[in-house]
Amino acid sequence: MSKGSRYITLNGQVLPADTPQIYHNNRSFCYGDSLFETIHAHGVNLHFFEDHFERLTRGMKALKMESPLLFSQKYLEDEITGLIMRNRMFTGNRIRLTVFRNSGGYYTPSDFQISWLIEVTPLLQQEYLLNEKGLRTGMYESIRKPVNVLSAYKTGNSLIYTMAGIYKMENNLDDCFLINSEGNLVEAISSNIFLVKNRSLLTPPVGEGPVLGIIRRQIIRIAREMKISVYEQAIKPGYLLDAEECFLTNTVTGIQWVVGYKNKRYYNKMAAELLEELKKKASAVNS
């Protein structure tokens, strides 16, 4: 347990974080029957929470989960900020909001209602910063990510990312790329991917199977506001060798630039420009 994370919230009840709360027949544990959102916060300011809630509710609809009437954006926002205050964590925070179907049944559930769990842990960085040292990356090809209605969401079944993480560790890499059933680039272990060529951005579309990342959405919005062309298209791995820049995006780190893939080396000029605008957007939220 991270220092300072003394409490969690389960179904609206604040509980000690070191007290077991999940039973052996929990459907997230047994079947991966769950969704989660990772949210970045500066104190009680939740960054881009409206987008998080929209993705979560779309994922719940795809999984045919049923929620109580109180399960609204405002309710969850209040629950999360209340937990932050209870833990007295007023700097940079990572929030994990997990939704899981209630216990009952085997593969076929007998209860479609949901429970929810909120956790908060401190971050070393209070705001988004560009990594000084670029990431060294590789390609994980042993398991290809399937493309289906669930590909866009963060579910309790994360084995492909776990195996990619082991590959990264075994090969002394900072991150690695995943490919889909067609052999096209999808994403990195916990991030979306963007390539820069001729001051245009390329990123895989939803039809290629990436998680529809919250920061991915922000970067596309920001780039278009800056009159930067954005192309959501299938990306062959060979494109990595032709790009001028490559960077990764996720909620916790914002933008991380890639310095190398194989013998290819990248710059980070556009990554730095976009990060400055992302910081402005994040600081404007809840202000």
Side-chain angles (χ1 to χ4, degrees), residues 58-286:
R58 287 174 59 186
M60 289 170 60
K61 183 177 180 180
L63 285 174
K64 301 186 184 301
M65 291 177 168
E66 298 176 0
S67 61
L69 292 176
L70 62 80
F71 198 80
S72 66
Q73 179 179 325
K74 179 65 167 57
Y75 169 80
L76 286 175
E77 195 166 4
D78 289 345
E79 288 290 294
I80 293 170
T81 56
L83 185 62
I84 291 171
M85 295 176 70
R86 183 68 179 269
N87 279 296
R88 301 187 63 80
M89 296 167 63
F90 300 118
T91 55
N93 295 312
R94 176 206 300 259
I95 314 299
R96 179 174 168 123
L97 168 60
T98 305
V99 171
F100 51 93
R101 205 185 315 263
N102 288 339
S103 301
Y106 295 97
Y107 286 126
T108 303
S110 59
D111 186 346
F112 286 76
Q113 287 287 322
I114 57 106
S115 292
W116 59 95
L117 175 68
I118 305 171
E119 307 163 74
V120 54
T121 53
L123 294 172
L124 294 177
Q125 295 180 183
Q126 296 187 36
E127 62 177 12
Y128 294 135
L129 298 173
L130 193 66
N131 48 317
E132 294 183 7
K133 184 179 179 182
L135 304 178
R136 296 171 298 106
T137 59
M139 186 75 65
Y140 179 67
E141 301 180 84
S142 297
I143 304 174
R144 297 188 175 195
K145 185 177 181 182
V147 180
N148 54 49
V149 69
L150 301 181
S151 305
Y153 307 110
K154 302 174 79 169
T155 75
N157 185 348
S158 301
L159 282 175
I160 187 171
Y161 304 113
T162 298
M163 298 308 295
I166 293 171
Y167 173 86
K168 174 195 74 171
M169 179 180 63
E170 291 176 339
N171 289 274
N172 195 31
L173 299 168
D174 297 311
D175 211 320
C176 57
F177 304 121
L178 280 68
I179 56 176
N180 63 17
S181 54
E182 300 299 317
N184 296 329
L185 285 177
V186 179
E187 56 203 357
I189 294 173
S190 60
S191 307
N192 291 113
I193 179 174
F194 285 85
L195 300 182
V196 180
K197 178 70 174 179
N198 296 329
R199 201 162 172 75
S200 296
L201 285 180
L202 287 75
T203 193
V206 62
E208 291 292 301
V211 170
L212 287 184
I214 302 304
I215 301 302
R216 174 189 184 275
R217 177 182 288 190
Q218 308 310 318
I219 293 303
I220 291 173
R221 289 172 177 168
I222 290 167
R224 288 174 175 158
E225 289 172 2
M226 296 172 65
K227 308 302 182 185
I228 296 171
S229 298
V230 181
Y231 299 98
E232 296 183 69
Q233 64 180 61
I235 300 176
K236 297 294 183 184
Y239 284 31
L240 287 165
L241 302 178
D242 193 42
E244 297 159 5
E245 293 186 40
C246 175
F247 61 86
L248 308 180
T249 64
N250 70 33
T251 299
V252 172
T253 59
I255 295 176
Q256 297 281 280
W257 71 284
V258 173
V259 68
Y261 167 71
K262 295 184 176 180
N263 294 323
K264 176 69 178 183
R265 294 295 178 265
Y266 301 105
Y267 302 104
N268 64 7
K269 181 179 178 181
M270 186 177 291
E273 291 177 25
L274 292 168
L275 182 63
E276 288 305 308
E277 294 302 314
L278 178 65
K279 288 165 64 175
K280 294 176 185 177
K281 295 282 187 183
S283 64
V285 175
N286 298 105

